[in-house]
Amino acid sequence: HLAELQGIPRGRCEEAVLDVLEEVDGKTWWDTRCGGLSHGMAKRVGIAQALRHPNVTLLTGARVTALEADGDRVTALRLAEKAYALKPAHTDLQNTLLTLQTRAHDWKGARSTLKDKRRQGALPKDVALRRDAVLALQEASEVLAHGNSISAREAAISANKASPDLVPAAVLAARSYLAQKDTRNASRLLQKAWGAQPHPSLAAAYAEIVPDETPAQRMRRFEDLIRQNPDHEESRLLRAELALAAEDFPAARRALGDLAETHPTVRSI
């Protein structure tokens, strides 16, 4: 009946109903009377009706919210994807789909949706790049946990390129390069990340590049890293720690300067 109201020829109504019910896994009970539908079946019929409604974005948005509230995120995601395919420039649908994709750990899908938002001007370029880097890092971490080091390496490098100052991405990407024996690129991106945001994790990864060097050799090599941001507190602490390891105590004191007084911490004291 609804199909006819929406202008579908009578001869094609059954086919149209079967097509849309297939979208919600309801094809097998398409001829069941309304009184015989369970609560879940009735909900899926409502979704099918929403997908055929002229104002699909309004109805699907409400249905997705209801499905999320009931904990049926798989169906909610499928519905949001279907609606988004029909209305790819709808801001609320973009946001809903992106949220569902991240909750489902669909990082590739989320990055694609984010790319659409950036291309359509819904997000500033720098914000979109930063968020894409975070999504790529999540993808890399999960792929690596499942043992696919090649895919993880690509995702980590992609995350680092999108946002070089994102410390976890820089560390993961550097270790990906090290797994390929590419110490040059590992050094380069860690130095770039240190220039943007010095962090102990970056220093730890930089140490892994040449694990068997002497303390004196390490002090010399680390100068390439430290000079990227020499006045930062982390740079001063790192230089002091390297000097202590080399038993160069005067150099350690010079590196610390007045940090113990101006910013007393466990590391500086």
Side-chain angles (χ1 to χ4, degrees):
H1 178 65
L2 285 172
E4 289 186 35
L5 287 178
Q6 291 176 24
I8 298 174
R10 181 181 292 272
R12 291 197 61 251
C13 282
E14 181 176 321
E15 179 186 353
V17 170
L18 286 171
D19 285 345
V20 77
L21 282 175
E22 189 172 13
E23 294 287 342
V24 295
D25 297 328
K27 193 173 181 179
T28 56
W29 36 265
W30 76 277
D31 56 350
T32 302
R33 291 184 176 275
C34 293
L37 295 174
S38 68
H39 175 70
M41 289 177 177
K43 187 192 301 181
R44 290 171 188 268
V45 169
I47 294 170
Q49 291 172 343
L51 290 174
R52 281 295 178 188
H53 196 279
N55 195 354
V56 67
T57 54
L58 176 63
L59 290 181
T60 51
R63 295 289 182 181
V64 165
T65 301
L67 286 167
E68 278 197 280
D70 288 348
D72 191 356
R73 289 181 176 172
V74 174
T75 306
L77 176 57
R78 289 182 55 193
L79 176 59
E81 288 172 341
K82 177 71 175 180
Y84 185 65
L86 298 173
K87 297 284 186 178
H90 193 280
T91 303
D92 288 342
L93 269 178
Q94 284 179 339
N95 295 335
T96 298
L97 178 58
L98 186 59
T99 299
L100 289 169
Q101 287 169 327
T102 54
R103 287 176 179 171
H105 293 199
D106 178 11
W107 308 118
K108 289 186 183 297
R111 293 181 71 190
S112 177
T113 304
L114 191 66
K115 184 178 179 180
D116 288 345
K117 287 175 69 67
R118 175 188 167 188
R119 185 173 59 247
Q120 295 167 12
L123 278 178
K125 181 180 177 180
D126 59 335
V127 174
L129 287 175
R130 182 73 174 187
R131 291 182 183 178
D132 183 64
V134 172
L135 293 173
L137 177 61
Q138 291 293 333
E139 179 185 3
S141 300
E142 288 196 3
V143 170
L144 189 62
H146 287 85
N148 192 338
S149 59
I150 295 176
S151 296
R153 184 183 305 141
E154 292 172 351
I157 292 170
S158 173
N160 176 254
K161 287 180 178 178
S163 191
D165 63 333
L166 189 62
V167 172
V171 170
L172 195 56
R175 287 174 175 155
S176 298
Y177 279 126
L178 288 178
Q180 303 174 77
K181 311 297 182 185
D182 187 352
T183 58
R184 178 176 173 275
N185 273 320
S187 299
R188 177 188 56 78
L189 72 84
L190 288 171
Q191 289 170 11
K192 186 174 182 179
W194 191 270
Q197 182 60 55
H199 191 278
S201 295
L202 298 173
Y206 202 73
E208 294 172 18
I209 296 174
V210 186
D212 55 353
E213 62 193 339
T214 66
Q217 290 171 333
R218 178 156 293 183
M219 278 187 68
R220 289 193 294 271
R221 185 172 66 86
F222 264 70
E223 280 302 318
D224 291 336
L225 180 74
I226 292 171
R227 73 164 58 100
Q228 307 303 318
N229 205 332
D231 298 324
H232 193 280
E233 180 176 325
E234 282 297 332
S235 293
R236 295 170 65 184
L237 289 168
L238 176 57
R239 182 177 275 123
E241 289 167 358
L242 292 168
L244 285 173
E247 298 184 356
D248 187 346
F249 303 116
R253 283 193 292 269
R254 288 195 300 272
L256 285 176
D258 61 352
L259 273 182
E261 292 78 34
T262 59
H263 190 197
T265 64
V266 173
R267 293 173 68 199
S268 64
I269 294 175

